[in-house]
Amino acid sequence: QSVLTQPPSASGTPGQRVTISCSGSRSNIGGHPVNWYQQLPGAGPKLLIYNDNQRPSGVPDRFSGSKSGTSASLAISGLQSEDEADYYCVAWDDSLNCPVFGGGTKLTVL
Amino acid sequence: QVQLQESGPGLVKPSETLSLTCTVSGGSVSSSSYYWSWIRQPPGKGLEWIGYVYYSGSTNYNPSLKSRLTISVDTSKNQFSLKLTSVNAADTAVYFCGRRECSGGSCYEGHWGQGTVVIVSS
């Protein structure tokens, strides 16, 4: 069982906006920045969002991150077929003194 | 552009030691700007953070693996390594190495290797 809680699945049609949630506690999301990774089938993770809402260069502005209290969200607007992937949130945890991942959300583009 | 490449045996027997190496190109493990990380992904499951090492040799480990884990850095070869002792089937996973950086109050792995499959089986 993961320290950070994500819905196991999400879906949307091309062009839609979808959001993926990540719930934690004061010892992780509530006190530390959240990062998001995209993992395409058979590939390694790719950094999508860091420091709650910052995009690395090369990541389309269709991807955005936000945080409120002990929860964070990843939003994908203008959904495209190539966005079909697994998405993971991660944050430092003070109790464990290490980063902790969410269980991952499988996004399906219908 | 930094590149990372994992290498090591793809098959390890139960109770033995899993040893992996990550070779870094386009960057230096001696840099004080980065940490060098490992994560893993069991088949069909999510990501699990393993630990990281700094160029000085200081480390931070996942508490659940700490008693079996050693991560070290070899600046002469521009590599860093993972050793996990007393492995069992639960250690079967794809192992990824990465470069961790800290900026603006946030730390994250911006670069990962392609991963290497390790199966624990007799």
Side-chain angles (χ1 to χ4, degrees), chain A residues 33-35 37 39 42-47 50-52 86 88 92 96-103, chain B residues 39 41 45-49 52 60-63 96 100 103-110 112-114:
Chain A
V34 176
N35 306 323
Y37 290 91
Q39 187 178 32
K46 173 189 173 184
L47 183 66
Y50 67 96
N51 202 15
D52 297 338
D86 294 326
Y88 295 89
W92 186 270
L96 297 174
N97 196 37
C98 72
V100 289
F101 282 98
Chain B
I39 62 172
Q41 185 169 35
K45 296 188 177 182
L47 302 172
E48 179 184 26
W49 188 78
Y52 61 67
N60 196 335
Y61 297 154
N62 185 324
F96 297 95
R100 184 175 183 83
S103 172
S106 175
C107 295
Y108 50 86
E109 280 77 9
W112 292 105
Q114 63 186 25

Side-chain angles (χ1 to χ4, degrees), chain A residues 1 8 41 56 74-75 84 99:
Chain A
Q1 192 161 348
L74 173 71
E84 190 160 286

Side-chain angles (χ1 to χ4, degrees), chain B:
Chain B
Q1 178 81 337
V2 67
Q3 292 187 319
L4 304 104
Q5 179 67 60
E6 306 87 351
S7 60
L11 181 64
V12 182
K13 289 182 168 53
S15 80
E16 294 191 345
T17 296
L18 182 165
S19 297
L20 297 175
T21 296
C22 184
T23 301
V24 179
S25 57
S28 173
V29 298
S30 300
S31 171
S32 60
S33 299
Y34 305 108
Y35 299 78
W36 305 95
S37 301
W38 290 96
I39 62 172
R40 67 182 183 179
Q41 185 169 35
K45 296 188 177 182
L47 302 172
E48 179 184 26
W49 188 78
I50 296 174
Y52 61 67
V53 63
Y54 196 43
Y55 79 100
S56 61
S58 65
T59 54
N60 196 335
Y61 297 154
N62 185 324
S64 68
L65 299 171
K66 189 173 183 176
S67 63
R68 301 190 290 133
L69 180 64
T70 302
I71 299 177
S72 59
V73 62
D74 187 336
T75 56
S76 67
K77 295 181 179 180
N78 214 33
Q79 296 175 333
F80 61 105
S81 300
L82 173 155
K83 290 189 189 301
L84 187 65
T85 63
S86 304
V87 298
N88 57 64
D91 296 310
T92 293
V94 179
Y95 286 74
F96 297 95
C97 63
R99 188 182 78 174
R100 184 175 183 83
E101 58 191 282
C102 298
S103 172
S106 175
C107 295
Y108 50 86
E109 280 77 9
H111 297 274
W112 292 105
Q114 63 186 25
T116 188
V117 175
V118 176
I119 297 172
V120 178
S121 175
S122 55

Side-chain angles (χ1 to χ4, degrees), chain A residues 42-109:
Chain A
K46 173 189 173 184
L47 183 66
L48 272 187
I49 297 288
Y50 67 96
N51 202 15
D52 297 338
N53 54 23
Q54 303 299 301
R55 279 187 311 276
S57 61
V59 173
D61 59 7
R62 302 187 296 106
F63 295 91
S64 62
S66 63
K67 188 175 82 173
S68 178
T70 59
S71 293
S73 292
L74 173 71
I76 309 171
S77 60
L79 197 62
Q80 300 180 1
S81 58
E82 56 260 40
D83 298 333
E84 190 160 286
D86 294 326
Y87 292 84
Y88 295 89
C89 58
V90 58
W92 186 270
D93 186 276
D94 288 330
S95 300
L96 297 174
N97 196 37
C98 72
V100 289
F101 282 98
T105 298
K106 184 175 185 63
L107 175 63
T108 301
V109 181

